[in-house]
Amino acid sequence: MAADHFRTEHSEHLPMHVPFDICQSKSKSKSGSALSLKPSLFAKNKEKRKEQECFKSSEKHILLRKGMVLLRKYISLSNQINIIKKCQELGCGPGGFYQPVFRDGAKLHLQMMCLGKNWDPEMKSYGDRRSIDDACPPSIPVEFNKLVEQAILDSQVFIKQDQKLSNVEDVLPGMSPDICIVNFYTESGKLGLHQDRDETPESLKRGLPVVSFSIGDSAEFLYGDNRDPDMAHKVVLESGDVLIFGGEARHIFHGVPCITRNSAPSSLVEESNLLPGRLNLTFRKY
Ligand code: SIN
Ligand code: MN
């Protein structure tokens, strides 16, 4: 049954891909045999207080550089849970999560799934099917796209007010995504500094933004003008954060050197059963 489910008409001679489940199975989490115990009420309240304090002392929206905005804690807890559930469902089906390999044979330190179009890390290009099993990428759920479009609009309003601009589209253009790359980093996951530049020349030239959702454990995110990590700026991306880089910032080098263990909000883990680690979705226009 499972074997037929993942075999497409074109994949007779291709190896089977074993689905990766980003959530801990219910039976395991109930028996308490693995991972976290339920947090006490005290621990939950402490977490809430910490969040509130954090917002008193820091800005919610931050302009990191021209065309690059961080919307902190932008995605509500219930939307984060819905995104996890949808990614789990799609990730276990045809075209779901797998561990990609670069041209030199090195494995990426994460699990990946493409929605809308397939991105091939070996060829560094997009296509309609992936080579490992010939599967077509699932479509991007409409509710994901709505959230992306709203996040860009909110960033534009913020930039306009912060920079007293009238031509905000020149700084951060609007974008309706047709590609989403979903990455799941386990606690040892990481991603080297790179540029996102495999979209069409038209999309890149217009500086159509990359929109990134972070869910689960926090990550260090490096960004800069070259591949040297020592020269890069660092920002911590937490669960619910949305990072947008477009316009002049579209070609920044960026990467994830490490994931912070046990940093996901306990209520998120409890309600979604997300495995330890970080779920990241990056949306783009081909
Ligand atoms: C990516 O650049 O593809 C992912 C970035 C992230 O995980 O924040
Ligand atoms: Mn990238």
Side-chain angles (χ1 to χ4, degrees), residues 252-269:
I252 51 153
F253 285 84
H254 59 282
V256 175
C258 62
I259 305 295
T260 311
R261 274 170 196 268
N262 253 315
S263 51
S266 53
S267 43
L268 179 84
V269 176

Side-chain angles (χ1 to χ4, degrees), residues 165-179:
L165 287 175
S166 56
N167 57 338
V168 69
E169 274 281 327
D170 294 346
V171 175
L172 184 69
M175 188 271 298
S176 178
D178 53 12
I179 300 162

Side-chain angles (χ1 to χ4, degrees), residues 108 110 112 119 181 183 185 190-192 194-196 210 212-214 219-221 237 243 245 254-256 259 278-282 284:
L108 270 83
L110 48 78
M112 184 178 89
W119 180 68
I181 299 181
N183 289 331
Y185 301 76
K190 57 184 172 177
L191 182 63
H194 65 279
Q195 290 171 300
D196 290 359
V210 173
S212 158
F213 292 179
S214 292
E220 281 187 10
F221 182 87
L237 298 181
L243 177 72
F245 49 98
H254 59 282
V256 175
I259 305 295
R278 170 174 180 261
L279 186 65
N280 173 257
L281 293 81
T282 48
R284 314 104 197 269

Side-chain angles (χ1 to χ4, degrees), residues 112-256:
M112 184 178 89
M113 155 172 77
C114 297
L115 307 178
K117 274 190 180 299
N118 182 63
W119 180 68
D120 184 335
E122 273 188 272
M123 306 307 292
K124 302 222 176 294
S125 63
Y126 289 99
D128 293 329
R129 285 177 184 271
R130 64 186 188 187
S131 56
I132 50 149
D133 57 3
D134 221 20
C136 290
S139 304
I140 307 177
V142 279
E143 60 274 23
F144 288 14
N145 274 20
K146 282 191 185 148
L147 204 48
V148 169
E149 285 161 23
Q150 192 57 51
I152 298 175
L153 285 174
D154 288 338
S155 300
Q156 290 176 326
V157 169
F158 166 64
I159 291 174
K160 240 179 177 168
Q161 286 168 353
D162 192 69
Q163 304 285 297
K164 316 265 177 293
L165 287 175
S166 56
N167 57 338
V168 69
E169 274 281 327
D170 294 346
V171 175
L172 184 69
M175 188 271 298
S176 178
D178 53 12
I179 300 162
C180 172
I181 299 181
V182 187
N183 289 331
F184 184 77
Y185 301 76
T186 60
E187 290 172 314
S188 59
K190 57 184 172 177
L191 182 63
L193 282 166
H194 65 279
Q195 290 171 300
D196 290 359
R197 54 173 197 195
D198 298 328
E199 295 70 35
T200 60
E202 157 81 359
S203 177
L204 296 173
K205 192 168 155 235
R206 289 175 60 198
L208 299 186
V210 173
V211 177
S212 158
F213 292 179
S214 292
I215 297 174
D217 281 334
S218 305
E220 281 187 10
F221 182 87
L222 299 182
Y223 63 97
D225 297 316
N226 58 50
R227 211 179 282 279
D228 182 355
D230 294 332
M231 303 278 284
H233 302 275
K234 184 177 91 181
V235 65
V236 174
L237 298 181
E238 296 182 354
S239 197
D241 288 355
V242 174
L243 177 72
I244 303 185
F245 49 98
E248 266 183 29
R250 181 61 174 77
H251 284 92
I252 51 153
F253 285 84
H254 59 282
V256 175

Side-chain angles (χ1 to χ4, degrees), residues 20-26 82-93 97 113 272-274 279:
F20 177 84
D21 190 341
I22 59 169
C23 295
Q24 190 188 359
S25 72
K26 287 254 157 53
N82 290 338
I83 293 170
I84 293 172
K85 285 187 178 153
K86 198 74 210 174
C87 289
Q88 178 196 23
E89 182 197 317
L90 295 172
C92 287
F97 285 110
M113 155 172 77
S272 67
N273 281 317
L274 183 68
L279 186 65

